[in-house]
Amino acid sequence: MQLTLGPILYYWPRQQVLDFYAAAADWPVATIYLGEVVCARRHELKTADWLALGQELAQQGKQVVFSSQAVLESGSDLSSLRRLAAAGGWLEANDLGAIRVARQSEIPYVAGTHLNIYNGSTLDWHAQAGAVRWLPPLEASQSMVAQILAERTNTLETELFAHGHLPLAFSARCFTARHYDLNKDACEFKCLEHPIGLALHTREGQAFLRLNGIQTQSAACHALIADIPQLQGIDYLRISPQPGYTAEIIAAYSAQINTQPHTIDWQQIHPEGIVNGYWHGQAGIRPTAQLETI
């Protein structure tokens, strides 16, 4: 089992992104996913910048995968994706349009979690279309993933979204812009002011959701670190980038995989808490007793 570094889900300043990946080159991750996956209005890095980053990381021994947006809205979105595909390598398809781009470019793709693969037949279809790796839906339980793997007839690699705020839903409207009473097309790039999203709380003060532009995330952080010893048939675990502590999170997961001791203050890193309910067939907001004690 190896670790991967997912695409950055938030809108960070250009230099912060460049510094992040300069550090990531030394982290124990096998694959690094690059690209803008949430909103086409986020332009701190251009397509040429992502291509240059990919080349640098590949030269340092990392497998690089360019991720598509989850909602491809325009011809310019497809044009940018085609430029990334033309560089060769792999694409992560988070939209059916990205699968077509991968096939036209004759390159392999990773079937992303937003493609909603719920049975072995669908997984086989993706394998025939050119997929070489897949991610189960975010709400999938361990038993559901085991059932899908039992039904399949292919040899696709399996990657789990193992750590990060769950990207639960997308909308054509921008929730962050609406929070500031702005239109989506004149949002003033307010997402830059919220490097880990905009937290929402219930009237009772409980952390509930996290707004990230057109994306809605979980408030608490999904974490499968306590479940690593029981994971079966899983090839990769994805760590979703955070504005701080990503290196420490990766080190903790690496140590857990290799059954080595590690210490990390999860309360400091994730004050809203860490949860793993979905993986155990429960409400996603719930942590298991094992996770609470880690």
Side-chain angles (χ1 to χ4, degrees), residues 5-11 17 21 32-40 42 45-47 49-51 53-54 57 64-70 80-81 84 90-92 94 238 241:
L5 184 64
I8 296 172
L9 301 181
Y10 308 104
Y11 197 23
V17 174
Y21 285 115
I32 295 180
Y33 292 81
L34 298 176
E36 175 54 51
V37 299
V38 177
C39 179
R42 297 178 174 182
L45 270 73
K46 310 293 185 182
T47 302
D49 297 318
W50 291 120
L51 288 169
L53 264 177
L57 290 168
V64 173
V65 180
F66 290 110
S67 297
S68 80
Q69 289 174 219
S80 297
L81 188 60
L84 295 173
W90 293 8
L91 281 184
E92 180 187 24
N94 291 304
R238 175 177 295 195

Side-chain angles (χ1 to χ4, degrees), residues 188-247:
E188 299 178 10
F189 306 105
K190 287 293 186 179
C191 285
L192 280 171
E193 299 177 14
H194 303 283
I196 196 168
L198 181 61
L200 291 182
H201 295 80
T202 65
R203 290 183 177 179
E204 292 75 25
Q206 181 184 9
F208 178 49
L209 293 172
R210 189 175 296 274
L211 301 183
N212 179 37
I214 67 170
Q215 183 185 78
T216 303
Q217 298 182 335
S218 63
C221 184
H222 173 74
L224 295 183
I225 188 167
D227 298 290
I228 287 175
Q230 289 77 44
L231 295 180
Q232 300 294 326
I234 306 302
D235 302 294
Y236 299 93
L237 297 180
R238 175 177 295 195
I239 308 300
S240 186
Q242 310 291 304
Y245 301 106
T246 303

